[in-house]
Amino acid sequence: MLAYSGLYWFVLVYAGLYWSILVCIGLYWPILVYVGLYWSILVCTGFHRVSEELQFVGRCLAVNPKSYGAWHHRSWVLRSHPDPTKEGGVCDRMLEADPRNFHAWEHRRALWSALGSAPLGSPLGSAPLGSSPLGSPLGSVSPPDAELSFCSSLLSRDFSNFSAWHHRGELLRKHGRHGDSHVLKGELELVQSAVFTDPQDHSPWVYLRCLMARASPPPRVIGVHLDVEDGAASVTFSRPIASAPQLTLYGRPVTPWSSAERHGRPSCTWVCKLPADLATPLAENEPIRAACSHGSAHWEVELTPKGQGEAWWAEPLVPQELFWPEVGVAEPSIMAELIGACRELLDMEPHSRGCLLTLLLLLAATDPMGSQEEMRRCLQALEEADPLRIGFVADMASRAELVLGLLGEGAEPEELRLPYKVLDVSSNQIETLQGVPPLPRLRELRLDGNPISHASALSPLAACPRLSVLRLADTPLATSPDAASRLAELLPRVAVVLS
């Protein structure tokens, strides 16, 4: 302790002299660097001064409760010398003064995660510090329920509190309760109370969509395609994945894989060049066994040859997976209840942007083919209600029309079958092809007259092995001076017609 004390006073005297010289010669910026160094050494060596340091930061926060530096320093001090005895009370007082102080919410969440199962206000399971100033005794019930009650007490004051909604969602996610139907119904009641109080408030709508999406299952393989003519194999998943899958053909692993979105971005479809000895004509009556894995998931599939040039395996495509796959796993009764609540609210408040968007997504996730006209009305009303986000609405409309057009080509609603070699979707307000599954038989695609302005919007076409002609006349992209070169890089084997 004497050594630490001596070092402390040495740093104090040396820093004081050094700062005086810098001020005299007019150099101020090094002072900022050495102030940080000084405080770091002070806290690291002066163990008995941690309490004083926290009090000092507390006074700084009293002056500026949203100081990034003060909150960061307080967290750093607590990481170096864990002593969270009073931190629960500090967060309570800060949120009592300003319930939207996201710094205090982040600090509370970090502290709650560090304490684990101990309630806030307790030093890692010791005696509780006391009750919260907001009236929620944090040690009286189980920690998740105590924190949920704390969030409810602040949301009851003001539903328009993104930080409180976010904290509530994180609590449910970390404790694995976001997929519980009973918990979900309770949260939906809270959201309905919020949206009927203020239909124009976005925060409960955002929370609702996040809550519905968090119950989604992991990605699954829905298609494996082998094309020996083009020497390529492709694997398609129900949702975009960020890392390459693993595929074994004839007992041999096939590598390397590339994302259909290019540049390694998450994609539903991943493509691999076949080795020369595997790109040989197929025996029409001999199924090909393949094994596919991603992460801890593993699938054994059997590819059916279609002639000597290609073979594939595919699950029936679920229409709901094309638009908003995450919400399709919710109970049908919950989905129907939400759709009814949205319709009821729109009768009273027809320009509620959050309600229009949520209803659109719910309709697309339940019965897209049977709700086409209502989905289009939602998109039109959303464009009128939110002119500042007209690009976002146009993208949603483009995706909806493309999904409905593809599903309209299928003979059955449970599967997508596209037997045609030419697909004409000209003048359909299509802005992007993101989310479109690979079409292995497609040879010509006509997109004339659509508002496509970027080559990247056509990246899913890289997963269409037989595509040879792409027509883009009367599109904004066709008038771009570098359109030909960018499309040649994206689709080197495709003849692009720009006029």
Side-chain angles (χ1 to χ4, degrees):
M1 183 61 70
L2 290 176
Y4 284 128
S5 178
L7 178 60
Y8 164 69
W9 286 110
F10 172 77
V11 171
L12 179 62
V13 174
Y14 172 77
L17 292 174
Y18 184 73
W19 294 346
S20 299
I21 295 174
L22 291 175
V23 172
C24 290
I25 64 177
L27 293 177
Y28 293 95
W29 67 265
I31 295 179
L32 301 177
V33 177
Y34 279 90
V35 164
L37 177 62
Y38 167 71
W39 283 113
S40 298
I41 296 177
L42 174 66
V43 175
C44 288
T45 58
F47 296 107
H48 58 290
R49 297 183 178 274
V50 170
S51 179
E52 297 177 9
E53 188 70 9
L54 292 176
Q55 292 177 11
F56 168 75
V57 178
R59 291 193 295 270
C60 294
L61 291 175
V63 176
N64 184 4
K66 296 184 178 180
S67 169
Y68 282 87
W71 282 108
H72 176 77
H73 186 63
R74 190 177 190 91
S75 299
W76 179 82
V77 171
L78 289 171
R79 284 198 303 268
S80 303
H81 305 286
D83 185 18
T85 305
K86 298 180 181 179
E87 287 305 294
V90 170
C91 293
D92 286 347
R93 289 191 293 273
M94 287 293 179
L95 295 174
E96 171 77 13
D98 181 7
R100 299 191 188 188
N101 187 337
F102 63 90
H103 298 279
W105 280 108
E106 286 295 326
H107 190 70
R108 184 183 186 91
R109 187 155 42 251
L111 179 67
W112 188 84
S113 299
L115 291 176
S117 61
L120 284 180
S122 303
L124 299 175
S126 63
L129 176 69
S131 61
S132 162
L134 294 175
S136 60
L138 297 176
S140 60
V141 291
S142 64
D145 291 336
E147 282 295 279
L148 290 173
S149 299
F150 179 81
C151 292
S152 299
S153 65
L154 292 182
L155 288 172
S156 63
R157 298 182 179 187
D158 181 11
F159 281 122
S160 184
N161 190 335
F162 278 93
S163 296
W165 288 113
H166 177 65
H167 188 64
R168 191 177 187 90
E170 287 296 295
L171 290 171
L172 296 176
R173 181 185 66 82
K174 290 183 178 179
H175 284 267
R177 298 166 65 177
H178 55 281
D180 189 312
S181 59
H182 178 73
V183 173
L184 185 59
K185 289 181 180 179
E187 295 301 297
L188 294 181
E189 292 178 1
L190 179 62
V191 170
Q192 289 185 25
S193 299
V195 298
F196 276 90
T197 301
D198 184 4
Q200 297 297 340
D201 182 16
H202 281 278
S203 55
W205 292 112
V206 173
Y207 176 71
L208 172 62
R209 292 194 291 272
C210 291
L211 194 67
M212 298 290 289
R214 279 177 173 167
S216 60
R220 60 185 179 86
V221 172
I222 61 175
V224 179
H225 181 250
L226 179 65
D227 191 330
V228 297
E229 292 183 4
D230 294 328
S234 64
V235 178
T236 302
F237 290 83
S238 59
R239 295 172 55 193
I241 61 173
S243 58
Q246 296 177 350
L247 180 67
T248 302
L249 289 172
Y250 303 105
R252 291 174 50 186
V254 181
T255 57
W257 291 87
S258 60
S259 166
E261 298 288 343
R262 303 287 179 159
H263 308 295
R265 289 178 294 185
S267 174
C268 290
T269 300
W270 288 74
V271 183
C272 177
K273 194 72 174 177
L274 286 175
D277 58 334
L278 291 183
T280 57
L282 303 174
E284 296 189 24
N285 298 323
E286 295 183 10
I288 303 171
R289 295 187 179 277
C292 182
S293 60
H294 179 260
S296 59
H298 185 78
W299 299 268
E300 297 282 346
V301 299
E302 190 174 88
L303 282 66
T304 302
K306 303 294 181 179
Q308 294 183 338
E310 61 181 341
W312 66 65
W313 169 89
E315 283 191 352
L317 188 62
V318 181
Q320 291 85 343
E321 290 184 337
L322 290 174
F323 202 84
W324 193 21
E326 293 84 359
V327 78
V329 299
E331 292 184 6
S333 59
I334 294 179
M335 305 278 282
E337 180 182 349
L338 282 174
I339 291 175
C342 288
R343 288 169 175 166
E344 181 182 352
L345 184 58
L346 286 175
D347 289 337
M348 299 183 292
E349 190 67 37
H351 299 294
S352 173
R353 295 172 294 174
C355 188
L356 287 167
L357 178 58
T358 303
L359 178 58
L360 169 67
L361 295 174
L362 288 170
L363 291 173
T366 52
D367 183 19
M369 294 301 293
S371 308
Q372 297 183 49
E373 294 306 318
E374 188 172 6
M375 288 172 62
R376 293 189 177 102
R377 289 196 300 269
C378 285
L379 286 165
Q380 183 177 358
L382 191 59
E383 183 176 351
E384 297 172 357
D386 197 2
L388 295 179
R389 297 175 178 84
I390 191 170
F392 169 76
V393 179
D395 181 71
M396 296 287 289
S398 173
R399 185 173 181 180
E401 292 298 335
L402 185 59
V403 168
L404 293 173
L406 288 173
L407 291 175
E409 295 288 348
E412 299 293 336
E414 293 81 10
E415 63 179 355
L416 174 64
R417 295 188 298 185
L418 191 62
Y420 310 109
K421 297 180 179 180
V422 178
L423 177 62
D424 188 350
V425 286
S426 302
S427 303
N428 269 295
Q429 297 299 312
I430 296 173
E431 289 189 346
T432 179
L433 299 183
Q434 301 297 331
V436 176
L439 305 173
R441 295 186 180 183
L442 184 66
R443 295 185 181 273
E444 181 178 343
L445 177 61
R446 298 173 184 174
L447 292 170
D448 303 321
N450 287 295
I452 299 174
S453 56
H454 301 286
S456 59
L458 304 174
S459 59
L461 295 180
C464 299
R466 297 185 180 276
L467 182 65
S468 58
V469 179
L470 174 62
R471 300 185 181 275
L472 293 170
D474 300 323
T475 64
L477 179 60
T479 61
S480 176
D482 61 342
S485 59
R486 295 181 63 184
L487 288 170
E489 179 184 359
L490 178 67
L491 305 168
R493 296 176 297 178
V494 179
V496 181
V497 181
L498 298 176
S499 61

